[in-house]
Amino acid sequence: MDVALKDAMQIDGAIGVALVDRSSGMALGVAGGDRNFDLTVAAAANTEVVRAKLRTMEMLGLRESIEDVLITLDSQYHLIRPLTGRAGQGLFLYLALYKERANLALARHQLKRIEANLDI
């Protein structure tokens, strides 16, 4: 997990990254962030985003999985990527990026690779 978080912080524009338990909202690991950007608070709050999307998909009868969720702010991108492997069920990666320094397509690709190599 520490290697995955460290790798995610190497993505251009990375502010911070967290591995989050969807059921509790608890960050199991964090890297980056600062006193103005508390990753544990962001992790807990973004748990509600994932839960809401899953409820919506259920109500609509969509039998698909979430690849990722993108939230675009004025100066930041926030990526939420639920883990798909059996060991990662109920977990997601949360990555915040500075918009002016990030390449969104490349960041999504790198986060997917990090997920694939993540061993929990």
Side-chain angles (χ1 to χ4, degrees), residues 18-40:
L19 178 64
V20 186
D21 178 354
R22 186 176 73 217
S23 62
S24 68
M26 179 180 282
L28 304 177
V30 297
D34 59 33
R35 68 177 203 265
N36 296 319
F37 195 95
D38 187 334
L39 280 162
T40 58

mmCIF file of all heavy atoms in Angstrom, residues 18-40:
data_model
loop_
_atom_site.group_PDB
_atom_site.id
_atom_site.type_symbol
_atom_site.label_atom_id
_atom_site.label_comp_id
_atom_site.label_asym_id
_atom_site.label_seq_id
_atom_site.Cartn_x
_atom_site.Cartn_y
_atom_site.Cartn_z
ATOM 1 N N ALA A 18 -5.138 9.001 -1.084
ATOM 2 C CA ALA A 18 -5.546 8.186 0.057
ATOM 3 C C ALA A 18 -6.151 6.877 -0.444
ATOM 4 O O ALA A 18 -6.779 6.839 -1.502
ATOM 5 C CB ALA A 18 -6.570 8.926 0.918
ATOM 6 N N LEU A 19 -5.942 5.831 0.333
ATOM 7 C CA LEU A 19 -6.644 4.567 0.132
ATOM 8 C C LEU A 19 -7.731 4.544 1.194
ATOM 9 O O LEU A 19 -7.436 4.677 2.391
ATOM 10 C CB LEU A 19 -5.696 3.379 0.285
ATOM 11 C CG LEU A 19 -6.343 2.002 0.130
ATOM 12 C CD1 LEU A 19 -6.891 1.812 -1.290
ATOM 13 C CD2 LEU A 19 -5.359 0.899 0.472
ATOM 14 N N VAL A 20 -8.982 4.398 0.761
ATOM 15 C CA VAL A 20 -10.117 4.622 1.648
ATOM 16 C C VAL A 20 -11.022 3.396 1.717
ATOM 17 O O VAL A 20 -11.299 2.758 0.701
ATOM 18 C CB VAL A 20 -10.939 5.837 1.163
ATOM 19 C CG1 VAL A 20 -12.040 6.183 2.145
ATOM 20 C CG2 VAL A 20 -10.034 7.041 0.919
ATOM 21 N N ASP A 21 -11.505 3.107 2.914
ATOM 22 C CA ASP A 21 -12.497 2.061 3.154
ATOM 23 C C ASP A 21 -13.878 2.681 2.961
ATOM 24 O O ASP A 21 -14.274 3.577 3.716
ATOM 25 C CB ASP A 21 -12.352 1.513 4.565
ATOM 26 C CG ASP A 21 -13.376 0.452 4.909
ATOM 27 O OD1 ASP A 21 -14.302 0.198 4.107
ATOM 28 O OD2 ASP A 21 -13.267 -0.127 6.006
ATOM 29 N N ARG A 22 -14.604 2.204 1.950
ATOM 30 C CA ARG A 22 -15.906 2.767 1.618
ATOM 31 C C ARG A 22 -16.945 2.575 2.721
ATOM 32 O O ARG A 22 -17.822 3.408 2.913
ATOM 33 C CB ARG A 22 -16.409 2.147 0.311
ATOM 34 C CG ARG A 22 -17.688 2.769 -0.191
ATOM 35 C CD ARG A 22 -18.102 2.204 -1.521
ATOM 36 N NE ARG A 22 -18.604 0.849 -1.359
ATOM 37 C CZ ARG A 22 -18.401 -0.140 -2.217
ATOM 38 N NH1 ARG A 22 -17.684 0.052 -3.293
ATOM 39 N NH2 ARG A 22 -18.902 -1.326 -2.008
ATOM 40 N N SER A 23 -16.858 1.509 3.465
ATOM 41 C CA SER A 23 -17.881 1.259 4.479
ATOM 42 C C SER A 23 -17.739 2.187 5.686
ATOM 43 O O SER A 23 -18.733 2.613 6.266
ATOM 44 C CB SER A 23 -17.875 -0.206 4.926
ATOM 45 O OG SER A 23 -16.634 -0.529 5.508
ATOM 46 N N SER A 24 -16.526 2.522 6.063
ATOM 47 C CA SER A 24 -16.318 3.370 7.241
ATOM 48 C C SER A 24 -15.929 4.804 6.902
ATOM 49 O O SER A 24 -16.061 5.696 7.740
ATOM 50 C CB SER A 24 -15.220 2.766 8.124
ATOM 51 O OG SER A 24 -13.959 2.846 7.475
ATOM 52 N N GLY A 25 -15.416 5.032 5.697
ATOM 53 C CA GLY A 25 -14.912 6.345 5.337
ATOM 54 C C GLY A 25 -13.513 6.610 5.858
ATOM 55 O O GLY A 25 -12.973 7.698 5.701
ATOM 56 N N MET A 26 -12.919 5.604 6.464
ATOM 57 C CA MET A 26 -11.589 5.761 7.056
ATOM 58 C C MET A 26 -10.498 5.635 6.008
ATOM 59 O O MET A 26 -10.534 4.740 5.166
ATOM 60 C CB MET A 26 -11.366 4.704 8.129
ATOM 61 C CG MET A 26 -9.998 4.762 8.793
ATOM 62 S SD MET A 26 -9.801 3.491 10.038
ATOM 63 C CE MET A 26 -10.737 4.229 11.359
ATOM 64 N N ALA A 27 -9.542 6.538 6.066
ATOM 65 C CA ALA A 27 -8.374 6.462 5.204
ATOM 66 C C ALA A 27 -7.427 5.427 5.797
ATOM 67 O O ALA A 27 -6.965 5.570 6.923
ATOM 68 C CB ALA A 27 -7.692 7.812 5.103
ATOM 69 N N LEU A 28 -7.145 4.386 5.039
ATOM 70 C CA LEU A 28 -6.245 3.325 5.503
ATOM 71 C C LEU A 28 -4.791 3.716 5.304
ATOM 72 O O LEU A 28 -3.910 3.164 5.949
ATOM 73 C CB LEU A 28 -6.551 2.028 4.756
ATOM 74 C CG LEU A 28 -7.993 1.541 4.851
ATOM 75 C CD1 LEU A 28 -8.188 0.295 4.008
ATOM 76 C CD2 LEU A 28 -8.392 1.296 6.291
ATOM 77 N N GLY A 29 -4.565 4.660 4.409
ATOM 78 C CA GLY A 29 -3.227 5.177 4.152
ATOM 79 C C GLY A 29 -3.345 6.475 3.393
ATOM 80 O O GLY A 29 -4.266 6.650 2.599
ATOM 81 N N VAL A 30 -2.441 7.400 3.669
ATOM 82 C CA VAL A 30 -2.437 8.683 2.977
ATOM 83 C C VAL A 30 -1.007 9.078 2.633
ATOM 84 O O VAL A 30 -0.060 8.658 3.303
ATOM 85 C CB VAL A 30 -3.093 9.818 3.798
ATOM 86 C CG1 VAL A 30 -4.553 9.540 4.048
ATOM 87 C CG2 VAL A 30 -2.355 10.061 5.097
ATOM 88 N N ALA A 31 -0.883 9.897 1.604
ATOM 89 C CA ALA A 31 0.400 10.490 1.237
ATOM 90 C C ALA A 31 0.103 11.873 0.691
ATOM 91 O O ALA A 31 -0.883 12.077 -0.016
ATOM 92 C CB ALA A 31 1.128 9.645 0.198
ATOM 93 N N GLY A 32 0.947 12.816 1.025
ATOM 94 C CA GLY A 32 0.758 14.178 0.551
ATOM 95 C C GLY A 32 -0.226 14.943 1.413
ATOM 96 O O GLY A 32 -0.405 14.640 2.582
ATOM 97 N N GLY A 33 -0.873 15.913 0.789
ATOM 98 C CA GLY A 33 -1.753 16.804 1.523
ATOM 99 C C GLY A 33 -0.940 17.849 2.272
ATOM 100 O O GLY A 33 0.285 17.871 2.213
ATOM 101 N N ASP A 34 -1.620 18.751 2.947
ATOM 102 C CA ASP A 34 -0.951 19.754 3.775
ATOM 103 C C ASP A 34 -1.951 20.271 4.806
ATOM 104 O O ASP A 34 -3.063 19.763 4.898
ATOM 105 C CB ASP A 34 -0.356 20.885 2.935
ATOM 106 C CG ASP A 34 -1.374 21.636 2.101
ATOM 107 O OD1 ASP A 34 -2.527 21.785 2.532
ATOM 108 O OD2 ASP A 34 -1.017 22.096 1.003
ATOM 109 N N ARG A 35 -1.564 21.295 5.541
ATOM 110 C CA ARG A 35 -2.444 21.770 6.612
ATOM 111 C C ARG A 35 -3.743 22.362 6.072
ATOM 112 O O ARG A 35 -4.731 22.457 6.774
ATOM 113 C CB ARG A 35 -1.718 22.756 7.499
ATOM 114 C CG ARG A 35 -1.374 24.054 6.852
ATOM 115 C CD ARG A 35 -0.712 24.988 7.868
ATOM 116 N NE ARG A 35 -0.847 26.364 7.476
ATOM 117 C CZ ARG A 35 0.041 27.060 6.798
ATOM 118 N NH1 ARG A 35 1.117 26.539 6.456
ATOM 119 N NH2 ARG A 35 -0.153 28.309 6.464
ATOM 120 N N ASN A 36 -3.745 22.780 4.804
ATOM 121 C CA ASN A 36 -4.956 23.311 4.183
ATOM 122 C C ASN A 36 -5.745 22.256 3.422
ATOM 123 O O ASN A 36 -6.809 22.557 2.895
ATOM 124 C CB ASN A 36 -4.584 24.453 3.226
ATOM 125 C CG ASN A 36 -3.972 25.622 3.942
ATOM 126 O OD1 ASN A 36 -4.412 26.000 5.024
ATOM 127 N ND2 ASN A 36 -2.932 26.187 3.360
ATOM 128 N N PHE A 37 -5.203 21.057 3.345
ATOM 129 C CA PHE A 37 -5.872 19.976 2.607
ATOM 130 C C PHE A 37 -5.730 18.692 3.415
ATOM 131 O O PHE A 37 -4.754 17.962 3.273
ATOM 132 C CB PHE A 37 -5.243 19.816 1.212
ATOM 133 C CG PHE A 37 -6.086 18.982 0.281
ATOM 134 C CD1 PHE A 37 -6.957 19.594 -0.592
ATOM 135 C CD2 PHE A 37 -6.013 17.605 0.298
ATOM 136 C CE1 PHE A 37 -7.731 18.838 -1.453
ATOM 137 C CE2 PHE A 37 -6.787 16.838 -0.549
ATOM 138 C CZ PHE A 37 -7.656 17.463 -1.424
ATOM 139 N N ASP A 38 -6.694 18.438 4.269
ATOM 140 C CA ASP A 38 -6.682 17.274 5.159
ATOM 141 C C ASP A 38 -7.244 16.071 4.406
ATOM 142 O O ASP A 38 -8.454 15.992 4.150
ATOM 143 C CB ASP A 38 -7.503 17.571 6.405
ATOM 144 C CG ASP A 38 -7.406 16.481 7.459
ATOM 145 O OD1 ASP A 38 -7.138 15.312 7.107
ATOM 146 O OD2 ASP A 38 -7.601 16.812 8.635
ATOM 147 N N LEU A 39 -6.371 15.158 4.061
ATOM 148 C CA LEU A 39 -6.784 13.991 3.274
ATOM 149 C C LEU A 39 -7.746 13.078 4.024
ATOM 150 O O LEU A 39 -8.596 12.441 3.403
ATOM 151 C CB LEU A 39 -5.554 13.197 2.830
ATOM 152 C CG LEU A 39 -4.850 13.781 1.617
ATOM 153 C CD1 LEU A 39 -3.447 13.234 1.488
ATOM 154 C CD2 LEU A 39 -5.646 13.517 0.363
ATOM 155 N N THR A 40 -7.641 12.993 5.325
ATOM 156 C CA THR A 40 -8.562 12.121 6.071
ATOM 157 C C THR A 40 -9.984 12.673 6.026
ATOM 158 O O THR A 40 -10.944 11.913 5.909
ATOM 159 C CB THR A 40 -8.089 11.908 7.517
ATOM 160 O OG1 THR A 40 -7.964 13.167 8.174
ATOM 161 C CG2 THR A 40 -6.765 11.176 7.564
#
